[in-house]
Structure formats: C-alpha cells, structure tokens
Amino acid sequence: MSGNNGRSNNGFGNKKNRASGADQYANEGRYLSGNENDPILEIRHLAKSFGNNKVLTDVDFDVYKGDVISVIGASGSGKSTLLRCINLLETPTGGEIIYRGSNVLDRGVNAPKYRAHVGMVFQSFNLFSNMTVLENCVAGQVKVLKRSRNEAKQYALEYLDKVGMAPYIKAKPRQISGGQQQRVAIARALAMDPDLLLFDEPTSALDPETVGEVLTVMQNLAEDGMTMLVVTHEMSFARDVSNQVFFMHEGVIHESGRPAEIFSDPQREETKDFLARFRNN
C-alpha cells in the first residue's frame, strides 16, 4: 500500500490478471461476480490532480467483502476526492480502479450500472426535493436496474424499515430532519443491492442530536456484513466499528492498520498529531 508504515497489509493483495473493463461490462453494464476470496475493489496507483494541485498520489489498497474501512485525516488531505474518484464522479489522472476484476476506467464501462454496485452516501443527502421518501428510493431502481415499480417499491420499503424510516414514506425531504434524510439516503443506496457502500462524511452536515441515529444505522449495517468505505471525523466509529483505518495526509495513505494499532500505537508523527487534536477537543 502507498504510504504503508511496514505493518501487516491485512489482506491487501497483489495485482491480479484481469480482463479489460470494456470486455467485462460492455455497454450492458455486466460484471464478473468473481471468487468470494477475491477483493471486491482494488485501487492501484490512483492519482488525481486539479491543474498543478496534486490531490491524490499513488494510492493503493484492496477492499474485501465485509470490510469496514474508515478513512480519517485533516480537511484537504484527499479523503473525499478518493471516494469521488472511486464512484467515477471525478476522473482520476492516473492509476486503476478494479471492480471485481475489471478496470472501470476503461472505455465502454456503464458508469450508472457500476455505481449501483458501488453506491455512495453523500454528506448533503442529495435527495430529490420534489419526490416523497418512498419515491426517492424507487426511482433509481427503476431507471438503472430496470426493476418494475412494484418490485422496486418492495425493496424500498424493506430498507426504509431497516433504517427506521418506514413511517415517513409519504413525506417530502423538507418535512423530515437532516438525520432522517440521511437515513433515507442510506436506504436508497441499499435498495440498489450494492456490493460496497461509500460514505462521504455522512454525519458532518447533521445537528449533534441526530448524528447518533445515523451512526447507529451504519453500525448495524457493519454488523450485518455490509462492505463499507467511510470517510469520517467520528473517531469513535472509526475505532469501534472499523476493521481497518487509513490515515490520509497530503494525498497519500500515510498510515494504515487495525483500529487498535492506529488509535493506541500510531507510528507516524502526523498521525499522532492528528489524533492528539481530536483527543484534546
């Protein structure tokens, strides 16, 4: 891994032989299911620049089924840009993003279909204000997955119930709290049957009293085996729920390891300084 401090890589594997993304997905959005022991996602030498500003440099890691990886670090360290590149909301300037054996940066990849499998929950919710809670969770399934409205509704109701939002299916986003909107956004992503969920600081836009309800939903997802890559400033979640923690600094994964290692025995001075600021707040 880029920026590794010498600790065990905990399953972060070597690059494997793979077919091109165009062969795997083509224009129909197909993908290989792969072996369960293979990584769901492989990030290889990922780089992103905006003009002369290098935001990501040689980022390298794997994500396996059931992983809950928290990405921590100061603002401007590249955390959100990393997720936006993985979700193809930003185009990397170098490297590879390998989803189940195929490079999603290859030409011919069906980006909306890929995003159904690698979903993203944003800090700003991104719900459609003119739709009800239920409609927000149905629309993507019908458009991208081509489910019937009845089938999509059943999936939506299942996951809205899972996040505690079933009583609000007829409400518009403006009629519910920020924490409730974020739970709807999580249900919407789950209804697409993703292999992996990306969370971009999902509690940063919430009032303090609603942060806990969203973190509880995320903890329940982790306990149910959902694979998650979470950019967060919630250090208790990173410490208690994750199985891996990445500390990002100046566009690289500066230190990585299990939560007990990172929080109890960080090796890099920058990691120590960052965690000390949180302990003192």
Side-chain angles (χ1 to χ4, degrees):
M1 174 186 299
S2 175
N4 200 322
N5 63 4
R7 288 176 170 149
S8 168
N9 63 13
N10 297 299
F12 293 163
N14 296 320
K15 185 173 179 179
K16 297 176 176 62
N17 293 329
R18 48 187 172 260
S20 72
D23 290 339
Q24 298 288 340
Y25 285 80
N27 291 321
E28 299 176 14
R30 295 174 181 166
Y31 67 98
L32 279 183
S33 60
N35 188 302
E36 285 297 306
N37 295 322
D38 290 340
I40 294 174
L41 193 72
E42 303 169 68
I43 304 301
R44 294 290 173 262
H45 309 296
L46 195 69
K48 176 64 180 178
S49 297
F50 295 100
N52 294 325
N53 181 26
K54 292 184 177 180
V55 181
L56 297 175
T57 304
D58 199 29
V59 175
D60 225 68
F61 64 90
D62 291 349
V63 180
Y64 286 82
K65 182 177 176 61
D67 276 346
V68 179
I69 300 173
S70 287
V71 185
I72 64 174
S75 296
S77 59
K79 306 183 304 297
S80 292
T81 300
L82 172 61
L83 293 196
R84 290 178 64 83
C85 285
I86 292 173
N87 200 240
L88 303 185
L89 295 172
E90 298 285 354
T91 303
T93 48
E96 296 178 305
I97 300 171
I98 311 301
Y99 170 68
R100 291 204 177 278
S102 56
N103 185 4
V104 301
L105 300 179
D106 285 349
R107 295 180 64 181
V109 168
N110 185 322
K113 186 73 85 172
Y114 163 71
R115 291 190 187 109
H117 299 299
V118 180
M120 188 159 176
V121 176
F122 301 87
Q123 56 183 289
S124 55
F125 322 136
N126 287 11
L127 299 178
F128 294 107
S129 60
N130 62 325
M131 294 183 180
T132 65
V133 162
L134 181 60
E135 290 166 344
N136 264 282
C137 296
V138 166
Q141 299 181 64
V142 173
K143 182 175 181 179
V144 178
L145 301 182
K146 307 303 180 186
R147 287 175 178 159
S148 69
R149 288 196 62 83
N150 283 340
E151 184 183 15
K153 182 178 178 180
Q154 292 307 308
Y155 275 90
L157 290 171
E158 175 185 349
Y159 288 111
L160 285 167
D161 182 62
K162 188 177 183 69
V163 302
M165 289 302 295
Y168 301 90
I169 60 173
K170 295 182 180 179
K172 296 288 183 66
R174 66 179 179 274
Q175 297 173 311
I176 57 179
S177 72
Q180 289 171 325
Q181 290 185 58
Q182 191 62 290
R183 284 189 279 156
V184 172
I186 292 171
R188 177 179 61 182
L190 290 171
M192 303 296 284
D193 283 341
D195 277 340
L196 166 65
L197 274 184
L198 312 174
F199 290 83
D200 186 12
E201 300 190 19
T203 60
S204 66
L206 302 180
D207 295 329
E209 59 268 23
T210 62
V211 168
E213 64 191 52
V214 173
L215 292 178
T216 296
V217 167
M218 294 172 63
Q219 182 169 354
N220 290 340
L221 291 177
E223 291 171 355
D224 288 345
M226 172 58 65
T227 309
M228 301 158 64
L229 184 60
V230 184
V231 167
T232 185
H233 289 296
E234 300 292 339
M235 295 298 109
S236 59
F237 178 91
R239 181 192 61 217
D240 299 336
V241 181
S242 309
N243 70 316
Q244 291 284 326
V245 176
F246 298 166
F247 170 67
M248 290 196 70
H249 178 68
E250 296 183 346
V252 302
I253 298 176
H254 204 57
E255 185 166 0
S256 64
R258 298 194 179 280
E261 296 172 333
I262 296 297
F263 286 97
S264 300
D265 187 27
Q267 300 299 299
R268 307 296 289 267
E269 287 303 317
E270 293 83 358
T271 315
K272 294 176 183 178
D273 291 345
F274 174 79
L275 293 174
R277 290 199 297 274
F278 274 93
R279 294 189 187 102
N280 293 332
N281 288 336

